[in-house]
Amino acid sequence: MTKRSITEAIVRGKRVLGRVDFNVPMRNGAIEDDSRIAAALPTIQWLVKNGARVILCSHLGRPKGKVVDDLRLTPVAQRLAELLGQPVTALRDITGPAVSASVEDLTDSDVVLLENVRFDPREEANDPSLARELADLADLYVNDAFGAAHRAHASTEGVAHSVPAYLGLLMQAEIDALTHLLDAPDRPFVAIVGGAKVSDKIGVLKHLLPLVDSLLIGGGMANTFLRAQGHAVGKSLVEPDLVSVASELMQSAAVREVEIVLPTDVVVAPSIDATAGEVRPTSEVGGDSAIFDIGPESARRYAKVIASARTVFWNGPLGVTENKVFAGGTAAVAEAVARSSAYTVLGGGDSVAAIEQLGLADRIAHISTGGGASLEFLEGKSLPGIAVIPENA
Ligand code: ADP
Ligand code: MG
């Protein structure tokens, strides 16, 4: 069964409410990275080309139900206008008389952007009254905000109950890429999971384990696995409560003949802001130092496993990439993934930032725009923003 796509709808002259993910990183009022805006362009351009009256809606940051001037969407509307090559009006409200009046004034192919939808406390509460007000602005609704699809909010879920709802092109591309990993991966299928904590990724580790051939583990979460193997990890980030879960995962992998690969050497330092690290075998981490990256021998071994893969999923950096002293493991793995001829999928805010910084993003088959959403999808969970869109007749 496939979900209804916006490209199957007749949109000319219709008011189309498009939920997009314009939650871009901002610094001092400027957009640091506009890739999320760029990712929403195919759907917006399709709507414009087909004569829709386009009303876009997004959140930005965490205003927690209050108006926060620094989180207004005005700079986003400006950047979108540049990328789109046509004016985009930034409205000062989400709903209400002024918004309704602006929407009434729209002509075909016009684009307006509602104010940050999380300024309204009813958004995150999925309050039906906000869903109704949003639905009343439009004839059709399209959800293209994959990054927010795991949240049942008024603009991502509630609204779709009151107006004919469709998937956008980005949403469809994300669903296709992630479904391919779960349903039909070419083998060997290698998953690389890093990042800070086992607790953030435990769902995805459990769900992917029976599906993959090899699971390469790095980042802070590797420490909990190393502890489960009986290694002393000094002052490293460890989750003691999850050592037993790590042991269970390793046992379950052994039974299924899935290879879990852990670092055999690591980069240690006295603190996270150290200006130099020291490479040590995993078995020799001193009591007063901490692990901040996988070592070069481990990176080579991971690269070798990746080179033989035909499907790769990667989430989470292998070390503390914020400090360049600890960015080597992630860079080596990124190189290997970029060089691979496998179908490669990358998700996760920090891992995506790392690969973009390395200039390797265009060598990845699919970069997910949703960190949390892609993890929940790969955990096998139903995402409310997708579930609410009707199946094709
Ligand atoms: P993503 O955003 O790609 O999903 P996460 O948010 O899960 O990744 O993890 C990224 C964070 O993990 C970074 O802030 C990084 O500093 C941290 N991290 C990676 N390796 C370690 C480590 N060895 N010790 C402590 N923190 C780590
Ligand atoms: Mg992160």
Side-chain angles (χ1 to χ4, degrees):
M1 279 297 235
T2 53
K3 297 269 175 180
R4 224 154 61 175
S5 162
I6 189 63
T7 55
E8 292 149 29
I10 293 164
V11 299
R12 186 164 304 278
K14 302 250 179 76
R15 298 165 303 156
V16 179
L17 176 67
R19 178 56 160 101
V20 288
D21 177 11
F22 287 164
N23 184 28
V24 291
M26 304 281 296
R27 187 181 291 179
N28 303 325
I31 297 168
E32 270 196 302
D33 174 6
D34 64 6
S35 15
R36 282 190 164 165
I37 305 175
L41 283 177
T43 294
I44 300 169
Q45 284 165 332
W46 186 89
L47 290 170
V48 166
K49 192 180 83 199
N50 287 281
R53 305 173 178 199
V54 185
I55 307 150
L56 298 175
C57 170
S58 177
H59 73 283
L60 174 63
R62 298 174 186 269
K64 303 228 163 92
K66 288 202 260 324
V67 175
V68 176
D69 275 320
D70 288 346
L71 295 176
R72 286 194 181 276
L73 284 172
T74 329
V76 172
Q78 278 164 6
R79 180 63 58 87
L80 175 62
E82 287 162 27
L83 295 174
L84 212 50
Q86 73 171 74
V88 174
T89 308
L91 303 181
R92 295 285 287 180
D93 294 305
I94 303 155
T95 57
V99 170
S100 300
S102 304
V103 167
E104 280 313 305
D105 286 346
L106 291 177
T107 60
D108 296 0
S109 302
D110 282 352
V111 179
V112 295
L113 175 60
L114 304 179
E115 188 49 280
N116 187 342
V117 69
R118 286 196 190 164
F119 285 179
D120 190 323
R122 297 175 298 168
E123 163 66 357
E124 292 184 77
N126 198 5
D127 186 321
S129 70
L130 177 59
R132 183 78 252 171
E133 288 169 28
L134 289 168
D136 284 346
L137 293 175
D139 304 303
L140 304 175
Y141 166 79
V142 53
N143 193 351
D144 212 21
F146 180 72
H150 56 319
R151 308 280 183 224
H153 293 168
S155 71
T156 61
E157 201 272 346
V159 62
H161 293 286
S162 306
V163 62
Y166 299 82
L167 289 181
L169 294 166
L170 171 62
M171 192 74 115
Q172 190 66 59
E174 294 273 11
I175 294 170
D176 291 346
L178 298 173
T179 303
H180 181 75
L181 295 183
L182 295 180
D183 289 358
D186 289 326
R187 301 198 170 276
F189 179 10
V190 175
I192 311 151
V193 183
K197 293 186 188 154
V198 178
S199 50
D200 293 338
K201 312 265 161 106
I202 193 151
V204 84
L205 288 172
K206 282 189 171 158
H207 199 79
L208 285 181
L209 191 71
L211 303 177
V212 301
D213 299 290
S214 306
L215 177 57
L216 314 182
I217 296 182
M221 58 185 280
N223 304 334
T224 302
F225 282 85
L226 293 173
R227 267 282 289 279
Q229 280 190 328
H231 291 295
V233 295
K235 292 192 301 178
S236 304
L237 173 70
V238 178
E239 290 165 286
D241 312 356
L242 292 177
V243 172
S244 61
V245 172
S247 296
E248 281 161 30
L249 279 166
M250 290 194 288
Q251 276 160 27
S252 143
V255 171
R256 295 168 190 280
E257 296 184 0
V258 169
E259 173 192 34
I260 290 192
V261 186
L262 291 168
T264 48
D265 64 341
V266 288
V267 180
V268 302
S271 75
I272 201 160
D273 47 18
T275 51
E278 194 189 328
V279 176
R280 291 267 182 89
T282 306
S283 52
E284 288 168 34
V285 176
D288 51 3
S289 56
I291 300 171
F292 293 117
D293 196 8
I294 62 171
E297 176 191 284
S298 305
R300 274 195 297 276
R301 202 156 49 96
Y302 287 22
K304 220 169 178 177
V305 178
I306 293 162
S308 67
R310 293 186 62 207
T311 306
V312 175
F313 170 68
W314 179 16
N315 171 286
L318 289 300
V320 177
T321 47
E322 294 92 334
N323 181 343
K324 65 177 190 307
V325 171
F326 308 123
T330 303
V333 164
E335 265 302 330
V337 175
R339 216 179 300 126
S340 157
S341 56
Y343 179 63
T344 51
V345 178
L346 172 65
D350 294 285
S351 1
V352 172
I355 207 133
E356 277 171 354
Q357 224 167 20
L358 291 161
L360 298 171
D362 59 353
R363 292 169 62 190
I364 309 297
H366 180 79
I367 295 190
S368 179
T369 52
S374 63
L375 285 180
E376 289 198 21
F377 196 104
L378 293 177
E379 281 171 36
K381 289 188 185 161
S382 155
L383 309 192
I386 297 172
V388 73
I389 308 295
E391 304 278 342
N392 259 327

